[in-house]
Structure formats: C-alpha cells, structure tokens
Amino acid sequence: MRYFLDTEFNGFAGALISVALVPEFGDDEFYVSLPLAEEPHGWVQRNVMPYLRHVPPGIDMELDRVEAAHHLADYLAGDPDPVIVADWPEDLAHFCALLVTGPGQMIDLNGLKLQLVNAAGFSAAANSRIPHNALHDARALRDFCLGN
C-alpha cells in the first residue's frame, strides 16, 4: 500500500519535529512528534509549533527518536511491501533518518520503497486543512495524488 508522508522540521536541515503517514486506503493514520532539543527557528515557532497538537487524540503522541522509530515499525509491520510517497526530498531524508536507531542499527521493516512525486501545482499550505501540521499536510498530499 502507499502511505503519503509529511514531516515538519526545525528550519532547513533542522531537527525532525513531527512525522505523519496517511494510507492510500482506510483511516489508520500515523503521527508522532518529537521533543526539540533547541529553540525553534522563528518561522517554525510561528507557523508549526502552534499547530503541532492539532491531530486526533488517539494518535497524538510525543515520543523520543528511538521510541518513534519503533512505533513506526509497529505501524508498518502488517504491510509486506509499503511504499512511502512524498513531494519533498527532505521529508524522505527525515523519514529515512528516523529508521536508524543507533550505530549500525535500524528498525526491522519488511520491504520498503520510497517514491518522490513531482507535485507541480500542489501546495500543502494552500490545500491542507491545517497548514504546516504534518498529518493534515500528508492528508492533502494523498488527496492531491489520488485526485480527490
């Protein structure tokens, strides 16, 4: 199955703040936020942090990086061939970095494919119900890619 990915991070090449996956079918969504070790950049403080917790209560979790990685492994465990779809390379970079739990260690996953789509004409800020919230932006990306 395809899972549409979005992340929020602390400015260009900054630390991961949140990650969301929205499945192509169904409503079993994944969302996790991570504590920030440093102050958010000004733009992030104004445009991301106020909306970080605007997700359904059942999936609103703040976990450390290793816990988040294992939570992600549990989420994808039932899919033998997940495809992660993103519209921005840095989202894929943060996702891949989250898979690594320590030196020479990564979470246990089945086959995994990454897909970067050319989403010309798509703007998460313009199409998301809550812009700069990873879950809502991932939902908007799914809707765009599926033509909804």
Side-chain angles (χ1 to χ4, degrees):
M1 177 169 7
R2 292 188 295 175
Y3 299 86
F4 297 89
L5 169 70
D6 193 73
T7 67
E8 299 298 335
F9 41 91
N10 195 14
F12 179 73
L16 182 62
I17 297 171
S18 62
V19 59
L21 292 172
V22 174
E24 182 173 6
F25 304 109
D27 60 358
D28 185 22
E29 299 170 322
F30 175 88
Y31 178 83
V32 67
S33 62
L34 295 91
L36 262 180
E38 69 274 352
E39 284 294 313
H41 291 186
W43 187 92
V44 172
Q45 182 64 44
R46 290 185 306 277
N47 295 285
V48 174
M49 301 310 286
Y51 308 105
L52 195 61
R53 314 250 55 114
H54 288 231
V55 298
I59 64 170
D60 184 13
M61 293 187 200
E62 182 179 270
L63 301 173
D64 70 33
R65 195 169 186 81
V66 172
E67 291 171 330
H70 288 289
H71 184 51
L72 177 61
D74 291 343
Y75 176 77
L76 293 173
D79 190 333
D81 195 25
V83 178
I84 307 302
V85 180
D87 67 332
W88 189 247
E90 202 163 1
D91 289 331
L92 290 172
H94 279 290
F95 178 83
C96 288
L98 185 60
L99 303 178
V100 178
T101 58
Q105 299 176 339
M106 67 176 276
I107 59 174
D108 185 23
L109 288 174
N110 297 319
L112 176 73
K113 294 179 182 134
L114 304 174
Q115 181 181 7
L116 180 63
V117 297
N118 179 353
F122 172 73
S123 164
N127 293 291
S128 181
R129 197 176 126 245
I130 301 177
H132 311 301
N133 173 287
L135 180 63
H136 294 279
D137 290 357
R139 287 173 176 171
L141 177 61
R142 178 199 56 200
D143 292 346
F144 172 80
C145 290
L146 299 180
N148 296 338

